[in-house]
Amino acid sequence: MLLLLLLPIISSSVDQIEFRVQENSPPRTLVGTLRRAGAAMFTPTSNIEEFSVDKKFGDIRVVISPDRELRDRYEMTVVIVFDSSDEISRTPLALSVVIIITDQNDNSPQFPRKIIPMTITESQPVGFKIPLDPAEDPDLGTNSTQTYQIINEGPPFRLEQQKLGFDDQYSCNLELERSLDREYKDYYVIEIVASDGGNPRRSDKMTLQIKVADVNDNTPQFNQSIYRPSILENAPVGSVVCTVLATDNDKGDNAKITYLIEPRFNKDGLFSIDPDTGIISLSGSLDRETSPSHELVVRATDNGEFPERTTVRVSVTVQDVNDNTPQINPTFLSQEDEVGMVSEASKVGDYVAHVNVDDLDTGDNGKVELTLHGEGAPFEIVKVGAGYAIQVSGPLDRESRDTWHVWLEARDGGVPSRVAHKNITIKVVDVNDCEPVFQEAMYRCNVSEIAEKGTDIVQVTATDEDLGVNAEISYKIVTITTIGQNNGDLNTPISFSINSKTGVISTGSQIDREARESVKLTVEAQDGGNPTLRSRCTVIVDIIDYNDNDPRFAQRHYTTLVREDAMIGSEVLTVHATDADAGGLAPLTYSIKDYYSAARSVFAIDPSTGVITTSADLDYEQQKSYNLVVEAHDHGGRRGVTSVEVLIRDLNDNSPQFSQATYRASLLHTVLPGTLVTRVSAFDVDAGLNGVVSYSILQGAEMFAIEPKTGFIRTAVSLRGLTNVTERLIVQAVDGGSPQQSSVCNILVLIGSLSTIDLKPIFTSQEYSIDVAESLEVGHVITTVFARSPDPDYSGSIKYTISKLTQQVHDSFTIGEDSGRITSKSTLDRETEDFYNFVVEATDELGRQGMAAIQVTVTDVNDNKAQFSATSYHFSVNENLDEGVVVAQITASDLDYGINGLVQYLIVHGESDLPFNLDSYTGTIYLTEELDFETRTSYQFTVRAFNKVTPNFYQETPVRISVLDVNDNSPLFVQSHFHFNLLDSSLDNAAVGVAMATDADSGRNGDVYYTLQPTVNSHLFEVDLKTGEIRTAVVFANRADLQEQYNLKVLCRDRGVPSLNSSALVTVEVLSTGQVVDILQQVLSNDAISRKAKYLIVFFAAAFLFSTVVLVCFIKYHRDRKSKYRNLTQIDRKYDPPPAPGPAPMKSSENLMSLGGGEMMGLSSDTLLSRPPKSTCSNNYKYVECGSYCPSIPEREYSQEIISTSFFADNNHKTKLSRESLPPPPPPNIPTFSSKECLNFNPSISSRIPETLLPDSQQVTSRSDLGSSYDLSPACSNKQCHDNRCHSNESGVASGLGSTPPTSEINFLKKELELRKDSWMSSDDSLFKVKNPASSLQSLPGQKVNLNDKRQVRFQKLNDSYV
C-alpha cells in the first residue's frame, strides 16, 4: 500500500536499466543485480513468473528457462527503498528493468513439404527458374536458415538463394542450368538440404520429383544415309524398288511419320511411295540407255503441332538389258565431204582415222569387237586406248589408186549379240613437193612520193605445180630496206602492203623521197601445203621525187661588210640554200627581190651560184648600208627567202679641205708668246677616223705653234727684234685614215712696230667659244666682246662688226655696233647648222681694225620628230615563209643628235595577235608565226617612230602587208565517196552525176580540173575537165554485159605550181526500169504511207524522170555545138594569109585563155598567133574541124590537133583568141564526122602519118584506131600508156615528142615556138613516144626541154614538120 502511495513520487524519477540473458538459461541463472548503496529493499511492481527479484540484495534470477521464440523481451519496474537511518534521507528510486532474451540455435529449418512432384517441358530455356517453398527456422540471425544445397549430383539444375526481407533467413529458386532433352532423360529426383548458421548446424531435407514433358524437337531419322537400290530396265510397273524407314525420338503424334517422294525428283512419275510404310514401287517404264539411274529424294514428316521433316536420297540404278546395237563413229584426221583423206607420203603405221564404237549397253552387252574389211586395202584396224584407229598397213600410191572403199563391223558380247556395219571411203591426196616460183627474181617499179596511201605499185606473180591447197599461193612482205639515204629523216615510217591473194603491192603510208631514194622489198610467196613451201623475190621501188620542199637558206639573215671602193662585179657574199627535193626540181635559182629598189640597182646575184656582186659604184658618204631580200626558187616554183644586210666600209678617199688657200695676219713685235695669230680650218667628208683632222706646221714652226685639233695658231717665241718682217707659214691638215690624206695652206704673218703696224684695236680675248642651245630665243645675247685701242693717243670710239659673214651667219646673228653684244637674230636649228665660225672686227675711227675669232656651237634639243622614208608602206609576202624571215623594212630618221636622234619603232593601232614582230631598233618586220592566205589575205597596222627621251614626240605611218597565195591546199571533194544511180534505158552519153571538189586557194592555185584514174571500167565513163560531171563515154551495144555496179576513182588537181591533188571513189549503180518500178510499187504498197503521200511520191518521181530527160537533151545539144569549134586544124606557114585586121595586140601581161571555156594556158603572148580571115575554104588555106570537113583541102594541108586551141603561125598578128573569132558553123549540107571518121573519110590523109611515131607495143590495125587526143601527162613518166593503163617502159624514155625533124624544120620551130615550163595539159600518150631522145628538141632556143615536165603537146603534120 505504501508503494502505491509512493508511486506518484517515485515515477517522476524512474531510471531504466537493461539486462540480457540467453534463452533456455537454467533456473537460478543470475540475470543482473540492482544493488545500490543504502538500498534497504527492492520491490517489483509486477510479477513475472520467468524471473525473480531478490528483495534484499536486488539480484534478478531466472525462475523458468525463457524461450525467445515465445517471448524475447520482458519489462518490470523495481522500487528501491533506501534505509532511513542514513544521514541523508533519500527518496525511493523506481527503476525500469528491461530483460532481452538472446537467441540460441535451438530450432532446425523446416520445409513445408518434404516431397514435391513437378513437370517441366524440355523446351524450357536455360535460366528458367522455379520458386521453391523456403525452409522456416524461428531462430534469429545466423541461427536461422542460411543455405540451400542439392546433395545429389548430375541434375541440370542449380539453386539460387534470396534473402527474405530484413530477416537473416534465405529462400531459394530452382534454376535450369542446362538444356533438357526428354529423349535423353525424362525424370529427375533432386534432394535439397536447408541448413542454418548455428553451431552446431541444424538442417532439413526436401525431395523434388521432376518429370520432363515432351516437345516435338526431333526430326525423323532414316535408318540409312542413302539408299542404293537397283532394278532391271525391263521391270514391270508395280515392282518394289526398296523400302525406306525413318524413326522419330519424340513421343506420340510427334513420333508418327508420313513418307513422300519430292515431286521435282520424280517429274516423270516413274516411282511412287506408300506414305505409311515407305515402300517405293515402279509406276512407269524404265530405259537404262536414256536414264541409267534415277535420283529420288524421299521426305519423312512427323505429325507434331509444328511438324519436323527430313529427306534422304534414293539412288536407283537401272540394270542393263542388251537392247542396243553398237554405233561406229570414225573420225578422219583429214576429210572432205565425209571422205577420209590420207597423204600418199604416209608411212606404215600412220593413222588415217580414229574410230569410236559406242554401245549404250553395259557389261558384256556393251563390250564390242571391231574389224575392218576391204579386199587388198592397205589399211588395218588397231586398238588404241578405249577406241580404235585405222592406220596405214602398206604403201600408198595416189597415181595407181586414189580411192579405197572399206567397211567396218562391230559385234557386242550380249546374248544374243548385236552387230553393226559402217562403209567408209578413203581418198589418197597429193603431197606438197613443189615450192612456188616467181615469174621474175627481181621486180623494179617506181612510185611518186605524193602517192596516196593504198596506191597500187606493182604486182608480183608466182606459180606452184602442186594441186589443190598445195598450189594456193599467198604473198607477204618480209623485209623493207632503205636504199640510198638522203638528208631526210629515216625515222619517218614507211610501209607497204601486199594483197595476199593477188600479189598487188600498194603503199601503206606516206612516202618521203627526201628520206630515201629507193626501197627494197623482200616478198615471200608461200603455198598452202603442210609443210609450207616458200620462195622469195626482190622488189625495188624507186621513189619519184615530187616538189614538196621549199628551198632553205643556211642562215635566215646574213650580214656582210664590203669596201666602198669595191670594183663593179666584186663578190660581196655567197648565200646558199638547199632543197631536199631531187632531180630536175632541186637546182635552185637565186634572185634579189625588189623590196628595196636602191639595193637592187647596186647589187646583183648569180642565179645559179648565189654569189652576190656589186653592180654599181659604192660610196659610203652617200649610203652606209643596204638591205636585200634574196629569194631561192626551184624549177617547180617553190621559194625560200633570206635577208642580207650589206654594210659599206668607209675608206679614206677624201682629203681635208681648208676653207682658204692663203690666210693673212699681222702682229706687233711686242706681243708676248702665246698670242693668237689666226685660225685655220679644214673639213674631211670621210667618217670616223678618216674624217678626224689634225693640224701641224710644216714651215715656221720655230716661231709659231698650232693647236693640232682646233687649228689656232699662236706665237711660240718673242718677236722682239723683228720689224717689218713677213713670215710665211705652211700648215698641213692630215686626217686619221690609213693611208692618211692631207692638204696644205699658206699663212702670211706681217710683224712690225707701232710705226709700221697699224695700231688696230685689240680684243680682250682673241678667241671666243660659245655653246648655245638651238632652242635659244630670238634676241638673246650669247656673248659680249670688248676691244681697246693700243694707241695711247687715240681716244675715239670703236665700232664692232661681223666679218667673213656667210649667209648662215648673217641670218643667225647680229652684233651691237657700239656695245659688242652678239645676239641671236633668228631661231637656231642644229639640224640645219650646228656650228658657226666667224670673225668679229673692232674698227676705230681711224679705220684700224682688230679681230677676234667667234666659234658658236649649237647644242642639240630634242625638237624633231622621226620622219619615215615613206608616207605609207605596202609589202607583199608569200604565205609559205618560215618564222623569223624578214618580210619588210621600215626606215625612219631623226635629225636630232645623240640620244635625241635615236629612233625606236613600235606597232600601234594593230591587232594583238599579228603574226609579225617589229625590231624596235632596226625597224625590221619579221614573221613570228606562219601565214595562211586562206585564213587572211592582208594585215594592216600602224608603226610609230619615237625617241626614247620624249616618247610622246612621235610620228606614225600605216603599213599594209598583203599575203600572196601559195598552192598549199589540195583540192578536196565534197564527199569521199559518191554514189550515183543510172537507168539502163538511158546509158548512152548519159549524165551520171557531178563529183564536185573545192580548193581553198585562189587564182590558178584554186582552179580545179578533173580526170578519171585508170581502172577496169574507167574507159566506159568520162569526166568533164572543169565541172567534174561524169558521163558515160561509150555506146552500150550489148546490154547483157552490163554490170550492176561500176567503181571509179576520180582525181581532182589544181593548176598551182606545184600542182596538188586528191581523189574520191565513185560508185555507179545501174538500175533497170523494172527495179525502179518495183521500188515504187513497194513504196506504194506500204500501208504505213498515206494515200496523199503516195500521190506526192508518184508526182515527184515523174517530175524527176522528165527533168532528167530534158537535162540530158540540153547538155547533149550544147556539147554538140561546142564540139564544132574544137580541134581546129592549121596549115603550113607558106599558106599563111596576108595580115588581116583584127583585135589589137595583147600586152605580155595579159592572161591567155583557151577556147575550151576560158581555161588558162599560161603561154606568153609572144607565142600566140592570130587567126586568118574568115575565108577559110579558099584554095590556099583551109580550116578542118573534126566534126566538119572541107572537101577542097589539099591532102598535104591536112593537120590533126590534140588540144582544143589552134593558132596560126604569124608573129605579125598576136591576138587573144575567143569563141567569137572562130569561123561560123559549116552549112547544113556539109557532112560531119567524128574524130576517127575524119581519118577514115580520106584514106590518103591518115596514110601520111609517119611510121616512126607508132609505138612498138601497139599495132594500128585500122585507121579508126588512131584517136584524136592523147595523154602526155607526167603520171606515165617512164611508161607507155595504152588501154587507159600505165605500163613499164624499160628504155626509161618519157613519152613526148616524135622523132627529130630536119634542120630546116628545127629552124621553123626556132622562129615560131618558145617552150616554157607551164601548166599545160593533155589527155593520152598511148600512140606516141620518143624514139631518139638524144636529139629530141634540145636545139630549141631558150632552154633544154625536160621531157618529164608536165606540158600540153600537140601533134601536127605541117609541111612534113612535126610539132
Side-chain angles (χ1 to χ4, degrees), residues 1014-1016 1018-1019 1258 1280-1287 1324 1326:
T1015 59
V1016 176
S1018 60
H1019 66 284
Q1258 180 175 346
Q1280 290 178 339
C1281 292
H1282 47 84
D1283 296 333
N1284 293 312
R1285 294 178 178 272
C1286 291
H1287 302 275
D1324 194 357
S1326 61

Side-chain angles (χ1 to χ4, degrees), residues 925-945:
I925 299 176
Y926 57 91
L927 279 178
T928 57
E929 59 184 75
E930 294 181 353
L931 301 176
D932 187 4
F933 173 84
E934 290 70 36
T935 303
R936 189 165 180 179
T937 59
S938 66
Y939 296 86
Q940 291 183 346
F941 51 90
T942 301
V943 173
R944 174 181 295 174

Side-chain angles (χ1 to χ4, degrees), residues 422-457:
K422 180 72 173 182
N423 295 321
I424 60 175
T425 301
I426 301 175
K427 185 176 182 180
V428 182
V429 298
D430 188 34
V431 297
N432 186 28
D433 54 356
C434 295
E435 65 181 16
V437 177
F438 281 96
Q439 293 181 356
E440 299 180 33
M442 186 180 76
Y443 295 81
R444 196 171 193 107
C445 61
N446 54 44
V447 62
S448 173
E449 67 172 321
I450 63 169
E452 296 180 356
K453 179 180 178 181
T455 300
D456 295 342
I457 302 174

Side-chain angles (χ1 to χ4, degrees), residues 929-1089:
E929 59 184 75
E930 294 181 353
L931 301 176
D932 187 4
F933 173 84
E934 290 70 36
T935 303
R936 189 165 180 179
T937 59
S938 66
Y939 296 86
Q940 291 183 346
F941 51 90
T942 301
V943 173
R944 174 181 295 174
F946 63 95
N947 180 265
K948 190 174 183 180
V949 177
T950 55
N952 294 330
F953 205 44
Y954 59 83
Q955 189 81 339
E956 295 180 349
T957 187
V959 178
R960 179 179 180 183
I961 298 180
S962 297
V963 183
L964 301 180
D965 185 41
V966 174
N967 193 25
D968 57 348
N969 290 279
S970 299
L972 298 176
F973 283 96
V974 295
Q975 298 175 220
S976 61
H977 194 171
F978 294 89
H979 294 270
F980 299 121
N981 294 326
L982 191 62
L983 288 175
D984 61 355
S985 59
S986 58
L987 292 178
D988 301 336
N989 195 27
V992 177
V994 177
M996 181 179 293
T998 59
D999 194 320
D1001 292 320
S1002 63
R1004 291 176 57 83
N1005 297 332
D1007 190 8
V1008 181
Y1009 64 93
Y1010 305 84
T1011 56
L1012 285 178
Q1013 288 192 347
T1015 59
V1016 176
N1017 299 311
S1018 60
H1019 66 284
L1020 301 176
F1021 299 88
E1022 64 181 3
V1023 62
D1024 190 277
L1025 193 67
K1026 297 179 180 181
T1027 64
E1029 179 194 24
I1030 301 174
R1031 304 182 65 86
T1032 57
V1034 298
V1035 176
F1036 292 84
N1038 188 0
R1039 300 304 172 100
D1041 295 335
L1042 281 177
Q1043 301 179 17
E1044 293 183 357
Q1045 180 175 294
Y1046 295 93
N1047 293 315
L1048 308 174
K1049 194 171 187 180
V1050 62
L1051 178 74
C1052 65
R1053 186 185 297 272
D1054 59 30
R1055 300 185 188 279
V1057 178
S1059 179
L1060 302 177
N1061 65 79
S1062 65
S1063 62
L1065 298 177
V1066 177
T1067 298
V1068 180
E1069 293 188 8
V1070 179
L1071 300 178
S1072 65
T1073 305
Q1075 288 178 308
V1076 176
V1077 173
D1078 291 341
I1079 294 173
L1080 287 175
Q1081 288 178 347
Q1082 292 177 5
V1083 172
L1084 296 177
S1085 62
N1086 190 348
D1087 295 335
I1089 301 176

Side-chain angles (χ1 to χ4, degrees), residues 885-930:
V885 171
V886 175
V887 297
Q889 175 72 51
I890 304 297
T891 304
S893 59
D894 192 326
L895 297 178
D896 291 323
Y897 179 73
I899 192 172
N900 294 332
L902 182 60
V903 179
Q904 288 185 281
Y905 302 90
L906 177 68
I907 294 178
V908 295
H909 308 305
E911 301 171 23
S912 59
D913 56 348
L914 285 174
F916 307 101
N917 204 351
L918 175 66
D919 191 301
S920 60
Y921 290 98
T922 65
T924 300
I925 299 176
Y926 57 91
L927 279 178
T928 57
E929 59 184 75
E930 294 181 353

Side-chain angles (χ1 to χ4, degrees), residues 158-204:
R158 70 181 183 88
L159 293 176
E160 180 189 52
Q161 293 188 171
Q162 290 181 343
K163 192 172 184 180
L164 294 176
F166 299 101
D167 203 348
D168 290 335
Q169 293 191 19
Y170 292 85
S171 64
C172 70
N173 297 323
L174 183 66
E175 182 179 356
L176 186 62
E177 188 176 26
R178 298 191 305 273
S179 298
L180 299 177
D181 186 1
R182 189 204 63 78
E183 289 72 31
Y184 172 71
K185 190 172 183 179
D186 60 355
Y187 186 77
Y188 292 92
V189 175
I190 299 175
E191 293 181 348
I192 299 175
V193 174
S195 302
D196 60 20
N199 189 11
R201 288 178 178 274
R202 292 177 177 272
S203 62
D204 191 17

